[in-house]
Amino acid sequence: MPFMMEGMASWDPGQYNRFAEERARPFHELVARIPTTAAVAVADVGCGPGNMTATLAERWPDAAVLGLDSSPDMIAAAERFKSPQLRFQLADASTWRPQRGSLDVIVANASLQWVDDHETLLPAWAAALDDGGTLAFQVPIAGYDPGFAAIAQRPHWAERLRGAAAVTGPRSASPVLDAEEYVRLLSAAGLTVDAWQTTYYHVLPGDDPVFEWFKGTGLRPYLDALDDAEAFAEEVRVELRARFPREPFGTILPFPRLFVVAHRA
Ligand SMILES: C[S@@+](CC[C@H](N)C(=O)[O-])C[C@H]1O[C@@H](n2cnc3c(N)ncnc32)[C@H](O)[C@@H]1O
């Protein structure tokens, strides 16, 4: 699968936090559906800059909360939330294998689209849940693409950008499964599954806000793959201005997301 790991260190917490409010909403809507009341051990996988992880410590005040991320920059940014209850650690989700029955809650918000082989990973995480525990994750739906894939396939980019689509772009290039596949996979792992999809219609302020949104996430595999990223970035800006026109009130960005909350009774 053409999945880029090289760019992992280039996550920029400042850029990511530019749309903190819009990005927080799916997290809160995901966590609101977690039925686990008492928890002693909680993990937030792909925790990013830690602001969302801190809310997990408030939701489960008696739990030790661990934020994991593969980006040293994100972990460094998250450290400011560190407390006796809340710790952060550099770790790659694709190899993270918590001990059987050792966790009450695993949250992965907007991170699993960067991680391959959910068919192997998720049953292993399900086995790490204690009775009453919950695995909750949210991902952009597979195949979601604001238009980057077509630009990357233009003849002057195609050679250098081959394999750079992971999070947005062709469905076949995404590690994200369909909702039905997650329901089957996690039911087979002994969990009760609640899955749903929602399209957010974010209204973004400022100039080129859709470009600025994805510069911090979905465009990174493309930008990281190029020495002269600015020329590609400018083509993307022009395309996105046409696709997502600025209106008097702002720019509408439709964003379809898949939610899965799987509970061990
Ligand atoms: C879109 S951000 C989401 C951050 C946070 N969960 C939130 O809701 O704001 C995706 C995060 O996943 C992390 N990530 C990507 N691949 C990862 C991997 N293989 N293991 C752990 N973290 C990963 C990135 O470093 C980034 O911080």
Side-chain angles (χ1 to χ4, degrees):
M1 188 169 290
F3 178 62
M4 298 275 296
M5 294 297 290
E6 294 80 18
M8 282 305 167
S10 73
W11 281 89
D12 175 351
Q15 184 68 24
Y16 184 73
N17 274 329
R18 281 187 63 166
F19 299 98
E21 205 174 306
E22 288 83 358
R23 295 193 196 282
R25 185 168 157 199
F27 181 93
H28 293 310
E29 292 181 357
L30 176 73
V31 171
R33 301 294 303 174
I34 297 178
T36 303
T37 47
V40 293
V42 172
D44 184 11
V45 190
C47 63
N51 46 332
M52 296 291 99
T53 320
T55 69
L56 299 179
E58 288 167 18
R59 163 87 188 262
W60 290 283
D62 297 326
V65 178
L66 176 63
L68 304 164
D69 203 287
S70 59
S71 158
D73 292 336
M74 285 296 196
I75 290 296
E79 287 286 332
R80 74 192 165 105
F81 295 102
K82 199 166 112 182
S83 74
Q85 189 198 357
L86 180 53
R87 287 185 306 122
F88 295 93
Q89 197 177 302
L90 197 62
D92 185 340
S94 61
T95 51
W96 180 65
R97 292 289 182 275
Q99 272 191 347
R100 205 173 180 82
S102 64
L103 290 166
D104 300 297
V105 177
I106 302 174
V107 173
N109 185 60
S111 54
L112 279 179
Q113 71 271 26
W114 298 95
V115 183
D116 253 344
D117 194 9
H118 295 185
E119 292 93 337
T120 305
L121 193 72
L122 295 180
W125 291 7
L129 294 176
D130 200 359
D131 290 345
T134 304
L135 163 63
F137 62 91
Q138 179 273 120
V139 281
I141 66 161
Y144 172 63
D145 178 21
F148 311 149
I151 304 172
Q153 280 157 18
R154 289 175 183 165
H156 50 293
W157 297 120
E159 188 58 37
R160 281 180 288 167
L161 290 177
R162 200 179 307 286
V167 177
T168 64
R171 194 178 186 84
S172 57
S174 169
V176 174
L177 308 176
D178 287 336
E180 288 92 334
E181 293 175 293
Y182 287 121
V183 175
R184 287 190 194 106
L185 187 66
L186 291 167
S187 298
L191 307 187
T192 302
V193 187
D194 174 13
W196 71 98
Q197 287 181 187
T198 298
T199 298
Y200 294 91
Y201 291 84
H202 299 299
V203 178
L204 305 180
D207 293 331
D208 293 321
V210 179
F211 175 82
E212 292 298 327
W213 174 291
F214 287 105
K215 191 172 133 192
T217 56
L219 269 171
R220 290 186 31 262
Y222 298 106
L223 299 174
D224 289 351
L226 294 166
D227 298 331
D228 56 349
E230 185 43 41
F232 179 76
E234 187 50 29
E235 269 188 54
V236 173
R237 273 191 211 98
V238 169
E239 187 79 21
L240 292 180
R241 266 176 225 144
R243 269 188 180 232
F244 305 96
R246 186 172 180 163
E247 301 187 51
F249 51 83
T251 301
I252 304 172
L253 171 64
F255 203 129
R257 296 179 182 271
L258 166 63
F259 296 75
V260 177
V261 175
H263 180 63
R264 185 179 293 292

